[in-house]
Amino acid sequence: MILKRILNAIFLSLGISTVVFLLLRILPSVSFADLYLSPRLSDETIARIKSSYGLDKPVLIQFFVWVKEIAMGNFGFSFIYRKPVIECIFDAFLSTLIIGLPALIYSFGLGIVVGVQLARKKGKAVDKFVSVFLLILYSIPTFWVGIVFILIFSYALGFFPSSGLRSFNFNEMSFVEKIFDLFWHIFLPSFTLGIAPMSAVARFVRSHTLKVLSQTYVKMAKAKGLEERLIFYRHVLPNALLPVVTLFGLYLPVFLAGSVVVEQIFSIPGLGKLAIDSIFKRDYPLTVGITLFVSFIVIFGNLISDILYTIFDPRIRLE
Amino acid sequence: MIARKKIFWVSIFVVFYLVLADLIAPFDPIMSLDRENLSSLPPLTRVYEINLKDGGKVIAFDYVKQGEFVYYTQKFSRGRVKLEDLKNVRSLLFVFGTDNLGRDVLSRTIYGGKISLLVGIIASFIALFVGLIVGVFAGYFGGIIDKVLMRITDVFLAFPKLFLVLVVVSLSSGQTIFSLILILGLLSWMGIARFTRAEFLKLKNMEFVLALEAIGFPDLKIALRHILPNAILPSLVNMPLLIGDLILTESILSFIGFGVQPPTPTWGSMISEAEKSLLSTWWLPIPPGILISATVLIMNWASEIEE
């Protein structure tokens, strides 16, 4: 089963590489070499530049070279930064993780707690009110939340900084102050990033817990005379929370997409900001490299959560 | 309410909005009446438009009639006109204030909503069209066609959508609203294709299909005339959700700067413009943000299936 999953993931990665390759070939404005060509260049020079990018070879060969480059972990060479794409990505990805991980942890933690409690109080006023509130949270665009937070907490109240990851005097601080400073800076962006996934997780956990609650084995436990709390926490909850593992894979793209706008608003030098900058600067290898990298992360995340799911839940044996 | 009823009311509302948007907007959303005097006014500012008999007009914050003159104050200056030249004075109220180019935020919000909604709706219908074609082929013919089509669907699903849209938008030369709509639509058909395929697999083995096959109806006719109407419902119920999602995506794209280009306002591009002068004009991002949230909320609500 797991082997099949892995093969599937490899196939998907190949498919994605193909699509990106085709996009670069098909879309009108792009052929690598045309981009930086001045009209004064002689035909000879153009031919030389094209061959240095490997563009004079047949398309099929180009495709295999492309796949080989990716497989070797070499996503290309950035025009602007003058270093391998993977190195640019690595620095930026750290910043993305710094705001992404706290958001991931709090959104899943809080989401699970809220969802479970709502399921316990199904039909009561609290449940109805909070459910509507969660739906509203889910519908608010992340970038707007970020802007409103900056307006309120940075400009009006002055509690948190509005941009960056470090204070200007970061280098003079002691270690403890540095950590505090970092947390102070990532609070708003992480909070912003986690809101939509948090409400999605809470809504999912609520509905799934209710589904489990309605199963016959719960009735059986009740009929047996077990205490309500015991049934809920010992018998219902473990089953209800299993599929949350798959949610992790499902919401990885949401986090990555959210980080694009959050990084843009809070000026954090992360992957999303790098992607947007690369697009504005027409640094194609970087843009494409980031897209591939992000897709691979998503595929990998899905693979991991699928495998975890099969391990945790013996009932699921994937076909 | 059941989903069909909700969707009915939501579509009525949307159609009314699209038709009436131009009529409700009190001011021109793209050209300012007076760019210098009206720029960056806070919400609920009242100004006066002094119309002269020769057709000229003056925008003033306050005016007094005194003797044979009308004295008025403007943002940076004062002046007067002769009472005999005066035709009338109109009072203008900017409920949500104006932006830094002197355009009324309320009008821009109303008009921008029309663009945002249109982008979402047209793109979602493109997605519906493509998704149905893929779903019908995969579901009805099965076998190798099904396998290939579903693999392609998987590949497109594996892309984080925003990144894919960003790459395609940035790589395609010449951004117009239409190319944006086309790209958004062509990159969001996967969900519908899967729904339709699943329904087809369910319906394909039912007796009425068997009967039609026995009578000797051609495959395509059975698929399109008889199974499709039954299989389309889950996709239709899901349409508002898709529209809401596309409106969000469009607003994110416009916010980043790859969506609809100025001066045409959309909610996303309005917030994007507002972000540049957040300290001085804090009121700019509020109305479009609330309206995006409300629209997406309504769309989510319409698609939500009651437990």
Side-chain angles (χ1 to χ4, degrees), chain A residues 159-207:
Chain A
F159 287 167
F160 294 101
S162 65
S163 66
L165 277 179
R166 284 159 190 197
S167 298
F168 62 93
N169 56 351
F170 187 79
N171 287 329
E172 297 151 24
M173 291 178 178
S174 67
F175 184 68
V176 181
E177 278 178 325
K178 274 184 183 173
I179 295 205
F180 176 76
D181 187 66
L182 195 64
F183 272 104
W184 188 50
H185 276 85
I186 63 175
F187 184 84
L188 272 190
S190 288
F191 189 61
T192 310
L193 185 56
I195 286 182
M198 189 273 286
S199 61
V201 171
R203 279 158 54 80
F204 177 85
V205 169
R206 176 184 175 272
S207 72

Side-chain angles (χ1 to χ4, degrees), chain A residues 8 11-12 15-17 19-20 23-24 27-30 122 132 135-136 138-144 147-148 150-151 155 203 206-207 210 253 256-261 264-266 271-272 275-276 279-280 282 284 287-288 290-292 294-295 298-299 302, chain B residues 151-164 166-175 241 248 251-253 255-258 267-268 271-272 274-275 278-279 281-290 292-298 300-301 304 307:
Chain A
N8 197 28
F11 170 80
L12 279 182
I16 277 178
S17 312
V19 170
V20 171
L23 280 180
L24 283 170
L27 286 173
S29 74
V30 192
K122 198 213 166 200
V132 171
L135 192 60
I136 293 175
Y138 185 66
S139 310
I140 301 179
T142 311
F143 63 93
W144 189 66
I147 287 178
V148 172
I150 287 184
L151 271 179
Y155 291 165
R203 279 158 54 80
R206 176 184 175 272
S207 72
L210 288 178
L256 288 164
S259 74
V260 174
V261 281
Q264 192 72 8
I265 294 167
F266 290 93
L271 206 55
I276 291 170
I279 290 171
F280 274 121
R282 306 237 134 201
Y284 290 121
T287 314
V288 168
I290 294 173
T291 312
L292 279 176
V294 169
S295 316
V298 170
I299 292 173
N302 274 319
Chain B
R151 289 287 103 151
I152 295 175
T153 312
D154 283 346
V155 167
F156 273 92
L157 270 177
F159 273 111
K161 192 168 150 204
L162 184 67
F163 277 86
L164 185 60
L166 263 178
V167 168
V168 179
V169 169
S170 66
L171 293 188
S172 58
S173 56
Q175 291 168 33
L241 204 65
L248 264 185
S251 70
I252 291 174
L253 281 181
F255 174 74
I256 299 171
F258 294 108
W267 288 332
I271 297 178
S272 168
E275 199 223 356
L278 213 51
L279 260 180
T281 51
W282 54 267
W283 56 88
L284 293 184
I286 311 295
I290 291 179
I292 296 179
S293 313
T295 311
V296 177
L297 181 65
I298 291 174
N300 287 348
W301 168 81
E304 201 179 40
E307 291 150 25

Side-chain angles (χ1 to χ4, degrees), chain B residues 104-105 108-109 112 265-275 284-285 288:
Chain B
D104 178 38
V105 175
R108 280 176 74 71
T109 310
T266 68
W267 288 332
S269 67
M270 287 178 69
I271 297 178
S272 168
E273 282 163 32
E275 199 223 356
L284 293 184

